Amino acid sequence: MNEEKILSIIEQIRKKEITDEEALALLKILPYENIDFACIDHHRSIRTGYPEVIYSEGKTNSQVKEIAERLSSNNKVIMATRANDELFNFLKPYFDKITYNSLGRIIIIGDIPNPVTEERVLVLTGGTTDIPVAEEAAITAEAMGSSVDRLYDVGIAGVHRILSKIDLLRSANVIVAVAGMEGALPALAAGLVARPVIAVPTSIGYGANFKGLSALLTMINSCAPGVATVNIDNGFGAGYLAAIINQGKRSL
């Protein structure tokens, strides 16, 4: 943490050289903690309302553990995304409260908070093989204080399935639609209800799917208004955005 800058701001406040609002604006960008292999952002929750999240893929188990320990000193819940069983089993002895959603590949350290609003997020999938990405989105939104409903395997190959759940779609405040293959599910959902739809292309599909590129192009070319698209397999990004929309969150 940059203690010199913090002390300087405190001194400016004492001398009334800056207002409280100006001091808060300066403090929003401080501090971070340099632990050689990572610069941990301890003030992200002040700036954005949510703490830093650990992207586990490519990190060693020990690196994730050290980052999580540092973050847990200031945050009630820590998320580690793109995790696996090996990492979870490694971390378990070091944290009193730790859970693992194996489908969504997310480790939660601490307690998932109670919902901060009665409004709900609905996560849809085109098929069963899209569920891992959908679970990443759902768990992320829940960890950020949103209630989440799930409706899986309702793709357009059997459009009657989603039509039979139209009341559930209407009850949602924001919809996350996860699909591979041709990726048409988000446009369908947006054409059925007046809700913002976050489209998530997945890498599920045969050769011409190009590992999700076909679904991505379909979604960003949606003819239905009200669709916003995140990157291929980015369930975390979709869940994060859904929680912000659902809770009307604005950074300080």
Side-chain angles (χ1 to χ4, degrees):
M1 299 182 185
N2 198 326
E3 294 181 4
E4 291 183 3
K5 288 186 178 181
I6 295 174
L7 291 173
S8 174
I9 293 169
I10 292 172
E11 183 66 13
Q12 290 178 73
I13 296 171
R14 188 183 69 79
K15 293 180 178 180
K16 297 184 178 179
E17 295 175 350
I18 58 175
T19 66
D20 291 345
E21 290 77 14
E22 290 170 334
L24 181 59
L26 291 171
L27 288 168
K28 284 180 185 179
I29 61 172
L30 294 170
Y32 69 87
E33 182 180 6
N34 190 333
I35 57 172
D36 295 331
F37 62 85
C39 290
I40 302 172
D41 187 352
H42 287 287
H43 267 208
R44 190 183 299 268
S45 58
I46 294 176
R47 299 193 313 275
T48 69
Y50 303 110
E52 189 165 38
V53 173
I54 305 168
Y55 181 81
S56 304
E57 209 164 52
K59 293 183 176 68
T60 67
N61 292 347
S62 296
Q63 286 174 338
V64 175
K65 169 183 169 291
E66 186 167 354
I67 294 170
E69 287 175 337
R70 302 299 178 100
L71 286 173
S72 62
S73 64
N74 295 317
N75 299 284
K76 294 181 180 180
V77 59
I78 305 299
M79 291 176 58
T81 65
R82 296 301 168 97
N84 54 35
D85 290 321
E86 178 188 341
L87 176 60
F88 175 60
N89 290 327
F90 175 83
L91 294 176
K92 272 198 301 186
Y94 299 100
F95 299 95
D96 293 333
K97 293 182 179 180
I98 181 169
T99 57
Y100 178 49
N101 182 296
S102 58
L103 276 176
R105 297 169 62 191
I106 290 183
I107 292 172
I108 299 290
I109 297 170
D111 293 317
I112 289 181
N114 293 324
V116 299
T117 175
E118 294 182 358
E119 302 285 4
R120 305 183 70 85
V121 174
L122 175 62
V123 179
L124 310 173
T125 72
T128 303
T129 48
D130 300 312
I131 290 176
V133 176
E135 277 298 304
E136 185 178 57
I139 295 298
T140 297
E142 288 175 338
M144 292 173 64
S146 281
S147 297
V148 178
D149 296 312
R150 295 158 169 83
L151 182 57
Y152 293 162
D153 195 25
V154 290
I156 66 165
V159 72
H160 56 288
R161 295 174 296 179
I162 193 171
L163 294 177
S164 70
K165 301 293 183 179
I166 192 68
D167 288 342
L168 181 59
L169 270 70
R170 288 172 178 159
S171 70
N173 189 42
V174 55
I175 295 171
V176 177
V178 184
M181 298 291 187
E182 83 288 356
L185 180 64
L188 173 62
L192 290 173
V193 293
R195 302 290 183 272
V197 175
I198 301 169
V200 190
T202 70
S203 51
I204 301 302
Y206 295 104
N209 174 265
F210 299 112
K211 298 182 178 180
L213 182 59
S214 293
L216 173 64
L217 293 174
T218 296
M219 292 176 183
I220 62 177
N221 283 287
S222 171
C223 62
V227 177
T229 306
V230 299
N231 211 341
I232 298 168
D233 292 335
N234 188 9
F236 166 75
Y240 195 104
L241 180 57
I244 292 174
I245 295 172
N246 190 50
Q247 295 160 213
K249 277 283 187 179
R250 291 177 173 84
S251 60
L252 295 176

